[in-house]
Amino acid sequence: MKNNRLRIITTIVLLLVATLVVHAAAVTYRHDKSDKTFKFPKLRDIQVPPIQSLTLQSQMKVFLMEDHELPLVRIHVIIRTGNAFDPKEMVGLAVLAMDQIRSGGIPGLDGDALDEKLDNMGATITAGCDDTYAWIQANCLAEDAPAILDLLYQMMRQPQFAADKLDLAKTQLRSAISRRNDDPGAIADREFRKLIYGTDSPYARQMEYEHLDRVTRNDLVYFHEKFFKPQFVSLGIWGDFEPAPTTSILTRTFGQWPGDTTPGQRFPTVVPSPAAGVYLISRPNVTQSEIRLGHLGIEMSNPDYFAVEVMNKIFGTNGFLSRLMKVVRTEEGLTYGINGGIYAEMKYPGMFAVDTFTKSESTVKAIQVIINEINRMRDSLVTEEELETARSAYLNGFVFNFASTYAVLTRIMTLDYYGFPEDFLEQTRQEVAAVSREAIHRVARQYLHPDQLKILVVGKPEDFGTTSLDVFGQVQPVDISIPEPAVVEEAIPEPTPASLARGKIVLNRATEVMKAQDVVSDLQGTHMVEASEIQFNPQMKFMVKVETWTFLPDKIVFRMSSDTIPQLSVTQVVTGGTGWAQSVRGLQNLSPEECTRQVQDIQRSPLVILKNAQIQGFPAQYIGESEVKGKMYDTLYIRQADAAGFKVYFDPETGHLAGMLYRGKRGNEPGNFLALYSDPADFGEIVYPRRNELYFNDELFISSSVEQLAINPAEDSTLFIQPDQQ
């Protein structure tokens, strides 16, 4: 029953590693009230260092800023593309393309060789994208700047898009998809964005397995040809360089980049959805609620942007000096932290959003207090003290736009990219300083809409107390299940009397060589102890001890421990359709789906297969020989009435069980598991494979060695006792 244990390890370890960073528990907190007044000194005039800008013959924009304090150069590139331009059937194309432009190699250097070259120079190049832009950044010693510019030019002009690197990137993104429902805060952020913009909006669309499966190398080539044109690119250089020779290099390279007159794509528009609503994502194993509420916001180009920014400081973006923190945290003791405001985006409306977390039983009260503060913001003028504190806080924070000359360069490039005027930074300072109490009252009434609030809670509704969310309106459940990827099923021929008879012969031979005739006929369970190495990548390996009791037909007790990593110590118990797990995360109930999968996995365990082979009509058909990892095996296909079928491999020379191939989930990620067995050893009652390796989508994940194996252990009831919740 080793197969089931290995799959349990994959589920539990991924869950633990993904949750090493644990959200702080919401507890009642009260702070002594005081009448402290914060005073900020008068700001000095901001001096923006000189920036030289030019447009090359290719139409590419260049920004140069000298800073000779250190012998370093930093390069910042902006490309007019982003996630919002992805085809709706291929969400994630921009992410993959930018990753592969960086890691897929250039002419004469594959991705690994390029990494090695950069390491030898002590340089870095990174790439990525946001919704409305993509970027490439480089850091190097001043003496290496010409070489780095040449690498960037090749990377942007002739990316190689190596197939192996694309496969690796897609594997990593599939893993991310599988883990996206692990953190309640991340769930709340993601689903709230969908509520505000719409599920199909380019600003809220979600990458799925099917999108990744559609992306091919040709799609990356198309992306590059469409968006990597010089008229869509801005390049900034900062640091210890001389403008004249640097400009000469740029002219000889990027200046010769063939451009055209194709205009940049327009940023997608947002379709407002003003209808209010109350939404719930039920999570049975949480003790606190994640709360998000709000509606559509404004763009930065809105003339009221500056007044809104000052209002935000008063309302909820100024830490302990904001109303939300003073009331919801300090006075009411409902949370450790809360933020809220109208967040403006540069090319599409942002969101008005309030986000916080609280104990389950104070969920409804916290929401009501927040709504009260929204109404108070609309209904009355702020005080002079609040205004002065907010303006001063904003302007003092504003200077961080100028914290370094490199920050100034990238900020100026960003403003230029989005079409803002050159003096926008100084304009912001002047406009904020001129905001009045009356202006704040006006924008609060104009842009805060309590009647349009979309309220989202991620939590356990059974613990909300006597007052439920429906006091705010009809509660609508939100489905966050992850759609399974499309699977092209292998065409397995229908069984024939001959193929079933041959299958019976193979199984009988395996039973004989494993000395299992008497054992499997009376098999009721097993107790196994293993030493396992879990491998997430070649540099990330963990040794654990695994002890498992399995009692047919549907009971499993699993214990994993590590002498060096407490987070890998886990107890998990499944009894039929229910189960629980205890770890550093505390005590949690297992989902019915997880329990069902584990009970089904029992039927795939080697000894149970041999036991079932004695049943007349057992559906194990011989389907020929298969090559697996360079070796040929006799192959059976076993059909299951309530689950997908699977393949079992046998050594044609010895008859021993050699492995199996089945579809399952690693954590929440679906894929193919390949278990390979070797080193048959005599454990007294039976000859059983001592060694096994478990691969997930062709990557080695777990290597195990059986140290003890007992057949039909006594069923100790204390193994199943669920501990008290700490």
Side-chain angles (χ1 to χ4, degrees):
M1 302 177 187
K2 178 184 301 183
N3 181 59
N4 187 55
R5 266 189 320 282
L6 293 177
R7 202 196 60 73
I8 296 175
I9 294 175
T10 66
T11 300
I12 292 178
V13 172
L14 283 174
L15 190 62
L16 289 170
V17 172
T19 56
L20 290 179
V21 178
V22 181
H23 202 301
V27 298
T28 300
Y29 178 90
R30 296 189 180 274
H31 191 278
D32 292 337
K33 300 177 183 178
S34 61
D35 190 26
K36 295 181 180 178
T37 302
F38 289 82
K39 298 294 183 182
F40 297 94
K42 185 179 184 301
L43 290 174
R44 294 177 294 178
D45 291 336
I46 295 174
Q47 300 296 325
V48 178
I51 298 176
Q52 179 183 348
S53 61
L54 62 145
T55 301
L56 301 177
Q57 182 180 347
S58 62
Q59 304 177 58
M60 191 179 88
K61 289 185 176 181
V62 174
F63 298 81
L64 304 175
M65 178 183 284
E66 297 176 68
D67 188 325
H68 299 284
E69 183 176 354
L70 296 171
L72 303 173
V73 166
R74 301 180 71 178
I75 302 169
H76 183 66
V77 182
I78 299 177
I79 305 100
R80 190 181 179 90
T81 183
N83 300 323
F85 300 111
D86 284 345
K88 65 179 180 180
E89 71 278 2
M90 212 174 289
V91 179
L93 176 60
V95 171
L96 278 169
M98 293 307 300
D99 177 84
Q100 294 305 290
I101 283 170
R102 166 59 186 89
S103 63
I106 59 176
L109 289 175
D110 63 21
D112 294 335
L114 177 59
D115 290 343
E116 184 177 356
K117 184 179 182 69
L118 291 171
D119 286 344
N120 291 337
M121 299 167 67
T124 62
I125 297 178
T126 56
C129 65
D130 207 325
D131 284 340
T132 55
Y133 73 99
W135 52 268
I136 302 174
Q137 293 178 340
N139 300 286
C140 64
L141 294 172
E143 63 188 48
D144 295 323
I148 294 297
L149 282 170
D150 180 65
L151 292 176
L152 286 175
Y153 179 66
Q154 296 182 66
M155 190 180 296
M156 296 168 67
R157 291 283 287 116
Q158 296 178 283
Q160 298 299 286
F161 296 131
D164 61 330
K165 294 296 184 180
L166 175 59
D167 290 342
L168 175 61
K170 291 169 74 170
T171 297
Q172 292 169 338
L173 288 174
R174 287 189 184 98
S175 180
I177 291 173
S178 75
R179 299 193 306 272
R180 74 183 183 203
N181 289 336
D182 290 351
D183 177 50
I187 294 171
D189 291 338
R190 181 188 73 229
E191 298 301 321
F192 182 66
R193 191 171 182 86
K194 286 199 252 180
L195 292 175
I196 299 300
Y197 292 109
T199 302
D200 295 327
S201 168
Y203 301 111
R205 286 189 305 224
Q206 185 168 275
M207 186 191 309
E208 302 291 359
Y209 295 119
E210 63 174 322
H211 300 142
L212 293 176
D213 291 340
R214 290 193 185 106
V215 176
T216 67
R217 183 182 183 279
N218 287 339
D219 296 307
L220 303 186
V221 172
Y222 169 77
F223 175 95
H224 177 260
E225 292 176 348
K226 181 176 182 179
F227 294 108
F228 274 72
K229 298 182 177 183
Q231 67 267 32
F232 302 154
V233 176
S234 299
L235 184 147
I237 304 177
W238 167 94
D240 186 20
F241 67 94
E242 295 299 332
T246 300
T247 301
S248 178
I249 293 172
L250 295 173
T251 301
R252 292 196 309 269
T253 52
F254 291 97
Q256 305 307 309
W257 187 352
D260 56 37
T261 58
T262 305
Q265 281 197 276
R266 296 176 63 87
F267 295 103
T269 57
V270 172
V271 179
S273 175
V278 182
Y279 303 88
L280 173 66
I281 299 172
S282 182
R283 305 296 283 177
N285 293 320
V286 300
T287 58
Q288 66 181 34
S289 296
E290 289 284 348
I291 299 171
R292 305 292 184 271
L293 59 83
H295 51 66
L296 202 61
I298 65 171
E299 291 188 36
M300 279 182 64
S301 57
N302 189 314
D304 289 327
Y305 165 72
F306 310 104
V308 166
E309 283 291 281
V310 179
M311 182 201 73
N312 286 343
K313 288 290 183 185
I314 297 171
F315 177 70
T317 65
N318 197 23
F320 285 95
L321 301 181
S322 70
R323 287 183 176 183
L324 287 179
M325 281 289 275
K326 288 179 179 177
V327 175
V328 183
R329 172 178 166 145
T330 305
E331 294 180 10
E332 298 291 343
L334 296 172
T335 187
Y336 264 140
I338 183 169
N339 293 281
I342 299 175
Y343 302 103
E345 297 289 349
M346 286 184 160
K347 277 299 178 183
Y348 64 95
M351 299 185 294
F352 165 59
V354 177
D355 66 273
T356 191
F357 54 93
T358 189
K359 295 179 299 184
S360 296
E361 56 266 36
S362 58
T363 300
V364 175
K365 181 178 180 181
I367 295 171
Q368 188 59 65
V369 172
I370 293 167
I371 294 174
N372 291 345
E373 288 307 306
I374 296 172
N375 287 321
R376 181 160 75 104
M377 200 78 224
R378 285 172 44 88
D379 292 345
S380 59
L381 287 170
V382 301
T383 67
E384 284 287 353
E385 182 181 350
E386 285 181 313
L387 173 61
E388 178 58 31
T389 299
R391 280 193 309 214
S392 298
Y394 186 94
L395 293 173
N396 276 276
F398 183 72
V399 301
F400 287 103
N401 287 297
F402 309 88
S404 72
T405 50
Y406 177 73
V408 174
L409 173 68
T410 57
R411 185 70 173 175
I412 293 296
M413 290 179 65
T414 300
L415 292 172
D416 176 80
Y417 172 76
Y418 288 112
F420 284 79
E422 293 181 4
D423 65 346
F424 185 78
L425 293 176
E426 182 57 32
Q427 180 186 346
T428 299
R429 184 181 182 186
Q430 294 173 1
E431 292 284 352
V432 167
V435 170
S436 65
R437 297 167 62 205
E438 291 74 18
I440 291 174
H441 191 213
R442 177 180 60 79
V443 298
R445 295 191 65 81
Q446 185 171 349
Y447 299 112
L448 294 178
H449 306 290
D451 60 330
Q452 296 180 14
L453 288 178
K454 290 178 171 62
I455 302 171
L456 173 66
V457 175
V458 180
K460 186 177 181 181
E462 298 85 353
D463 294 343
F464 288 173
T466 56
T467 307
S468 66
L469 288 178
D470 57 15
V471 298
F472 304 112
Q474 182 178 356
V475 179
Q476 304 174 58
V478 178
D479 180 13
I480 61 169
S481 59
I482 301 173
E484 294 283 338
V487 178
V488 179
E489 297 287 352
E490 180 182 357
I492 302 294
E494 289 297 317
T496 65
S499 67
L500 291 172
R502 180 71 181 274
K504 185 76 170 178
I505 292 172
V506 172
L507 287 170
N508 286 343
R509 184 186 181 196
T511 302
E512 290 177 8
V513 298
M514 294 176 67
K515 301 179 181 179
Q517 299 95 324
D518 296 334
V519 168
V520 297
S521 62
D522 191 38
L523 183 68
Q524 300 299 319
T526 61
H527 173 220
M528 187 177 291
V529 179
E530 296 171 279
S532 298
E533 181 181 75
I534 304 168
Q535 176 175 312
F536 292 98
N537 58 53
Q539 292 75 40
M540 191 176 181
K541 301 177 182 179
F542 305 98
M543 289 301 303
V544 295
K545 177 182 177 181
V546 177
E547 189 169 11
T548 312
W549 293 262
T550 302
F551 302 99
L552 300 181
D554 58 6
K555 295 180 181 180
I556 306 164
V557 178
F558 170 91
R559 291 177 182 169
M560 183 169 68
S561 59
S562 169
D563 293 333
T564 57
I565 305 176
Q567 289 83 0
L568 294 178
S569 295
V570 180
T571 297
Q572 182 169 304
V573 174
V574 173
T575 305
T578 62
W580 52 268
Q582 187 176 42
S583 66
V584 293
R585 302 177 64 198
L587 184 66
Q588 293 185 314
N589 293 323
L590 299 176
S591 68
E593 177 192 16
E594 174 64 22
C595 294
T596 299
R597 287 205 308 259
Q598 292 191 26
V599 171
Q600 289 175 342
D601 280 348
I602 294 177
Q603 301 304 311
R604 278 198 294 261
S605 58
L607 293 182
V608 173
I609 291 175
L610 297 182
K611 177 182 176 68
N612 290 338
Q614 299 181 350
I615 301 174
Q616 184 68 28
F618 180 61
Q621 66 181 104
Y622 181 79
I623 60 173
E625 290 189 327
S626 300
E627 183 177 352
V628 181
K629 301 293 183 183
K631 295 184 179 181
M632 300 301 297
Y633 297 106
D634 286 332
T635 306
L636 304 189
Y637 184 77
I638 298 178
R639 301 174 188 271
Q640 297 187 102
D642 55 352
F646 59 98
K647 293 180 180 179
V648 186
Y649 304 118
F650 296 85
D651 188 320
E653 295 182 1
T654 67
H656 275 288
L657 178 70
M660 63 180 65
L661 178 69
Y662 58 96
R663 190 155 184 87
K665 288 187 176 182
R666 183 175 71 170
N668 290 319
E669 180 182 1
N672 292 320
F673 284 94
L674 172 64
L676 295 180
Y677 307 122
S678 61
D679 189 21
D682 192 338
F683 285 90
E685 298 176 86
I686 192 171
V687 174
Y688 195 84
R690 185 184 301 276
R691 296 283 304 166
N692 71 77
E693 294 178 332
L694 184 65
Y695 295 80
F696 180 75
N697 290 340
D698 290 329
E699 292 186 357
L700 180 62
F701 185 54
I702 298 174
S703 300
S704 297
S705 177
V706 179
E707 297 180 341
Q708 299 177 39
L709 173 61
I711 306 297
N712 296 336
E715 186 172 326
D716 185 351
S717 61
T718 61
L719 292 172
F720 302 91
I721 296 176
Q722 182 172 331
D724 295 331
Q725 178 72 57
Q726 296 297 318

